[in-house]
Structure formats: C-alpha cells, structure tokens
Amino acid sequence: MSTSAPPANGPAIELEIGGMTCASCANRIEKKLNKLDGVEATVNYATEKAKVTIPDGYDPALLIAEVEKTGYTAALPKPKNTKVSASETEAGDEEDSELTSLRHRLIGSIVLTVPVIAMAMIPALQFTYWQWASLALTAPVIIWAAWPFHKAAWTNLKHGTATMDTLISMGTSVALLWSLYALFFGTAGTPGMTHPFELTIAPSDGAANIYLEVGAGVTMFILAGRYFEKRSKRQAGAALRALLELGAKEVSVLRNGAEVKVPTSELQVDDEFIVRPGEKIATDGVVVSGTSAVDASMLTGESVPVEVGEGDAVTGATVNAGGRLVVRATRVGSDTQLAQMAKLVEDAQTGKAEVQRLADRISGVFVPIVIVVAFVTLGAWLGAGFPVAAAFTAAVAVLVIACPCALGLATPTALLVGTGRGAQMGILIKGPEVLESTRKVDTVVLDKTGTVTTGKMTLVDVITESGVDRAELLRFAGALEDASEHPIAQAIAKGATQEVGQLPTPEDFANVEGKGVQGIVDGAAVVVGRESLLADWSQHLSTDIAQAKARAEREGKTVVAIGWDGRARGILIVADTVKPTSAEAIRELKEIGLTPVLLTGDNEAVARQIAAEVGIDEVIAEVLPKDKVEVVTRLQQEGKTVAMVGDGVNDAPALAQADLGLAMGTGTDVAIEASDITLVRGDLRAAVDAIRLSRKTLSTIKTNLFWAFAYNTAAIPVAALGMLNPMLAGAAMAFSSVFVVGNSLRLRGFKSVTQQ
C-alpha cells in the first residue's frame, strides 16, 4: 500500500474480478489497487470479488481501468432485486461462460489425449505413421485446450512473475516445439519409428525423441483440476440467490378498499397488504388487524411459532401459520431483514481469508528454480563444447520432466475419492479450499435448534390433576388440537394419536384468538389453550399443577392447559427435544480435539439444560439471529479457528464467516449454500465424520503433492546430464501418476465413527 495515501474513509464498493487463475493473481490486483491514492482494497480469489473503500466522489471507472492494466477484467456488480428477471438470468448464463469454455476444453483434451498416451506407452500400438497421428491429435490440445495457461503465462511474464501457469505453458510448448523439430528435422519422423520399451540411459542429440504425450497429458490433467476448482467457486453466490428466493413473489395489497395482486418489488412503505393462512409475509411490517401464529423457523431456525396480534412486528419471508392478517409495510426492498441477511452473507464471504492453493505455494519457489536450472543446463552443455542440439535437448528435458503430470492428479484424484466417499456417508464437501480449514479448527459452534435438537415441537409430558385418566385427557386434547392449524396444536395431536390411537371428531369447534380452542368432544365441553382461557371459564389449575407448569416454562418449554365440564384437568408440555445421537457426537468432537460451544437465541436456563444433557460446557445464549456472525467473529479474534454447524437462514452469515461452515442437510437451502460442507444425514455425528474425512483427504493431497514434486525434482539432475530418454520420462511420469492415484484410492476405505 502507498504510504503517502491517506486512509480511505468513503463508501465501500465491490468489483467482480475475472481472469484470476491462482491466489497470486489476487495478491497482484490487490497491490495494484492499494497503490492508488486514498484507496483500500481486499481481493478474494475464492469469491472472485474485490472489496474497495474509496474517497468520496472517486470514480469507480478508475479502479476498473487499473485492474484491466494488470491483465484482468473488472466490473461493478448488477443491482440485486427480490424478483429474478430474464436479464439477470442471462447475466448468470454469461457468468458461467468461462466454466462452459473450460468444460469444452477438458472434454476435447480427454478425447484427443488418451490415444496419444496409449500409443506412446504401448509399443504394440505404434503403427507405421503413429508419430504423425500423435502430432495431429496433440497440436489442438497444446494450442487450443491449453490456451488459458498460455494466456496467464503471458500476463505473468508482462508483470515479471511466474506461477504454475508459467511452468505448464513452457513445458507443454517446449514439448510440442521440440517434437516438431525432431519430426521435421531429426529422425523421429521416419516411417516405422518406434519408442522401444527399454530403460537404457545414454546421452544423445534428441533428434529421435518426441514428447507429445507429455504435453497433451499435462494439459488434460491440469485442465481437469482447474475445471473442478472453478465449478466449486461458482457456488459462492448461490447463498444470496437462495436467500432472495425465500421471499414472497406476489402480494395482495389493499388499495382504495380493494385487493390488488402486485409483485413484491412494487410494495411501498405504509402499504397495507393481506396475508392468508399458509402464505408468506411479503415484507417487514406491523400487524394492523387479525391474530395468528407466525412460523419463523425458515428464517430464525427456532421451532416455536410466535403469536402475533394488532401492533406486533412481523418479518418478511416468515409464514402465517394461523389466521388472516392485515399488515402495514414498514421496510421494503434492501431495507428488509431478509435483504440485510443477504448482505451479511455477502460480507462474510468476501471477508473470508484467502486460501492459497498448495500447488501454487510450492510452485512460487519451484517454477523459477526449474527455469534457472534449464538455462544453466543449456549454458553448461554449450560451454563444455557439446553440439547445440544436444545442449538444447538437455535443457528441454529439464523443462519437460519438471512439468509435473502427477501434480495435475494430486488434488483432483484425492478430492474425487474423498468427496465420493463423503457422499456415500451423507457428507458433501464443496471444494479443495475447504479442506485446509479443517486441519486448524479447534472450536466448533453448534446452533441448538435443528442441530443439537430435532427442531420440531414434540409432546414430551402430560401431567393430570388427581383422579383424571391420562388417556382420556389425551383423547380430548388431541381431538380439539387436531382441528387446529397451529404448530403446537399439531404436536399435541400427533402425540395423542401415537399414544391413544384414533381421535374422535369434535363438535362446535371454535378458535379463541390468541388463547386456544374450544368445542364438544364425546359430549364434554372442552377448552384447550392458555391458562387464561381456562380462567375465563372459571377453571383453575391446582397448586401442584401450577408449579409444574411454571417449572416447565422456566425450562423454555411450552405448556398448554386443558379442562372440561367446569374443571381444569391437567397440562400438556410441548418442547423441542435433543436428538438421540447428539451426546455421542459431542463426545466424539472432543476426542478429535475440538471444543464445542452451544449457540442459541433461547434463554440461558434452557440453553444450560440442553448443554448439560449432551455434555457441552460453554454456552452462549439469548443471541439475536443477526448477532450470531458477531459471536463467530469474536471467537476468531480470540485466536480460535472456528467451525460452525447450523441449519437455519439466520445461521447463513455465521456459516459463511466461520473458518469452516457445516450445514445440516435437513435445514434451509440458504444455510446449505453458505456452508463449506453439507451434512445430508441431519445427524450431528456426521460433523465428526466430515472433519475427520476432510483432514484425511487433505493429508492425502499433501502426500500426493510431495511425491509429485519429489519425482520431478529427483529426475531434474538426470535430465540436466542428458541421460533421460523419452521412454524413461514416460515411465517415470506414469509411475508417479499411478502412485498418486493409488494413494488417493486408499480414501475409499475411510470408515464412519458409527462403523468403528
């Protein structure tokens, strides 16, 4: 950063960056932008975005021009609307054109390269003019399919840097150029020429050696790695799209006393709109008339529905689970809670630490050394008085053997096998950059509802007054509640059905707004609901039952009272229950060196009780949905590397902010998209398996990378001495590739903690 530039304190804007191939590209752009007066920039390779703070009145076009000077593309992001238009769809298709191009290049290179490698490695396939057929198949691969590498290498050269792209471009180009020389000016083009299967090593002028299979093979394998990496990166914006999809698309607005259906994007502040039972609330607002229960679980992750009435605030994208509501809009568009959550997810993704690919880290040192060794080899041979052709052959051999075929396989094969095994176990890993995070994680933050607990209301206890039959109480309560749409009523009805069987049909059923239900069941006048509803009928709970009710409510449980024929008969207790496997999962998380932390919006007493039940010592309770990301950030600032496990929309920003985000597959699409790993099973033990499998896969990738470089490094001195013939080079490359693939295949034997 320029030391003379004043700190930027103006607006922050985002740029979408194109053309980056590795983390060093992001670093180069970042340095370039930070040299501009008053500009502070952070470029994220994973999300392909730059977050830039600029002085007031600064023209963003200057930033775009600066990025383009560096050899990359930049553009201001298109505005986001809650309604996805056709033009936005086209923009999305345009954005994926790079991925489509990469896929076409990969498919083309596979089709053309496989025969070339087969002919070079199997003497029986070397027919009379096989070398010319190899040239015809290889040329499009090295010129067209490898074009992204050549383009990146040229950009790097203009800026005086070298990355893996440089080595790939040089190695494949030299392999093709030398093969052309050997075919047209040497003896390699002679009809009937073969590469005999022998490992003799002797200095030669290289005029009979062709390296076409090396150039084509390297291109194919590295393209495969790039394609899978690019595809995983394209998921970065999916969380935002999923968030916006949550909102209602149309709304019934009251205009001049009449209902008018309009798109939600046309809603204005102070508009009044109708929300019928089962419909999504279109935007943030205040209830003008009506009472209902609002199911906010898709947004908050909390399973208990919220009772609302006149004057109460409601949030857009939540579901009206009960009666008809008329709501006055208070916030629309980008001001709504849903839009603000989308912004939080975006900020968390953009601010996530860049993950430098392992291959690029090593290549930062390896590439320049190889290029220097090649030039030193050329100079040494010429200085020793050898022919120019022999000197050039030795230098070419250094570049060819140093262009690591196994390196192209190292990450994708381990990732392919590791993620394939994960998929069999219900674990979906999004990309290679995820794996590095798992190695350092020391703290795992667990959202309570839907993660440690089931996230569904369940009838957990029934307490009867003296002399009251439990089965009769359940029949009466279940019969009335079965006729109600309320989520708590449905939990009671389900519990009653499981215990007493078929329920009778009530007569004269009525919903008492905000209090409960009443009706006639088997000739008895039954009321079910709040204690105040029973009091209206002069039915009062005994002291013992009232104390049990207060105790249950202190524990965060929901209590429903029931009475009939003039007397209170008992209470039914409904709560979110702990998953049967959660305690075992917590023990296993501790065994692999992680400290579990329970995070919830519930009160401290409820959180402590759940934590004690499963064996968690650290609890952070009464956290508002929007503050969860702040909790994760605070833990990170304390020096902890944080994994977050959640399932609700409110967890999405925290999942994106965490060093490792794990979403329960039973949760919302938004949480799943914002996470790094998805746990399809909905079993917390899957989080243990995910971290263990990720660490094992990362360890395999590191071993693969070490051997991929070790083979090449060991062969460089042999090449420099002119003692490396094409067949030996091919055999060494094949062996290194077989080793890498074999090492990766060992991941297929990975076992879940439930199988051990």
Side-chain angles (χ1 to χ4, degrees), residues 86-322:
S87 62
E88 285 173 320
T89 306
E90 287 167 18
D93 293 341
E94 211 172 282
E95 188 182 90
D96 281 337
S97 62
E98 191 179 352
L99 188 64
T100 304
S101 169
L102 206 49
R103 183 170 64 248
H104 291 162
R105 291 178 197 277
L106 174 59
I107 293 169
S109 65
I110 291 170
V111 170
L112 296 171
T113 300
V114 171
V116 174
I117 293 176
M119 285 188 287
M121 300 301 295
I122 305 170
L125 298 179
Q126 294 173 1
F127 56 90
T128 307
Y129 292 101
W130 73 274
Q131 68 271 47
W132 296 100
S134 293
L135 176 63
L137 293 169
T138 301
V141 176
I142 295 179
I143 296 169
W144 168 73
W147 177 247
F149 308 135
H150 303 318
K151 185 179 175 185
W154 176 244
T155 302
N156 293 331
L157 181 64
K158 286 193 293 185
H159 294 90
T161 58
T163 63
M164 188 52 66
D165 287 315
T166 310
L167 194 55
I168 296 164
S169 179
M170 285 185 70
T172 54
S173 299
V174 165
L176 177 63
L177 292 170
W178 187 257
S179 298
L180 287 172
Y181 164 79
L183 285 168
F184 286 99
F185 303 104
T187 56
T190 306
M193 184 278 288
T194 60
H195 276 172
F197 191 78
E198 58 183 29
L199 300 180
T200 53
I201 300 174
S204 74
D205 64 1
N209 299 346
I210 59 172
Y211 297 91
L212 295 170
E213 77 283 0
V214 175
V218 166
T219 301
M220 179 181 72
F221 289 127
I222 305 259
L223 271 175
R226 286 283 167 88
Y227 171 71
F228 290 117
E229 180 189 41
K230 183 72 71 176
R231 193 173 65 172
S232 69
K233 278 167 58 183
R234 279 287 180 260
Q235 301 301 317
L240 304 178
R241 289 194 294 275
L243 261 177
L244 297 176
E245 281 296 310
L246 270 181
K249 302 298 180 287
E250 285 191 325
V251 57
S252 299
V253 182
L254 288 172
R255 298 225 167 120
N256 301 320
E259 271 190 54
V260 183
K261 280 263 187 190
V262 299
T264 51
S265 56
E266 292 180 15
L267 262 181
Q268 297 176 357
V269 174
D270 291 334
D271 274 349
E272 291 188 2
F273 59 92
I274 295 168
V275 190
R276 293 181 173 79
E279 289 184 346
K280 287 181 181 178
I281 296 171
T283 193
D284 298 357
V286 174
V287 177
V288 175
S289 66
T291 59
S292 181
V294 172
D295 180 3
S297 60
M298 62 162 46
L299 199 62
T300 65
E302 299 302 324
S303 52
V304 181
V306 181
E307 301 284 349
V308 296
E310 192 173 328
D312 289 334
V314 290
T315 306
T318 55
V319 177
N320 178 14

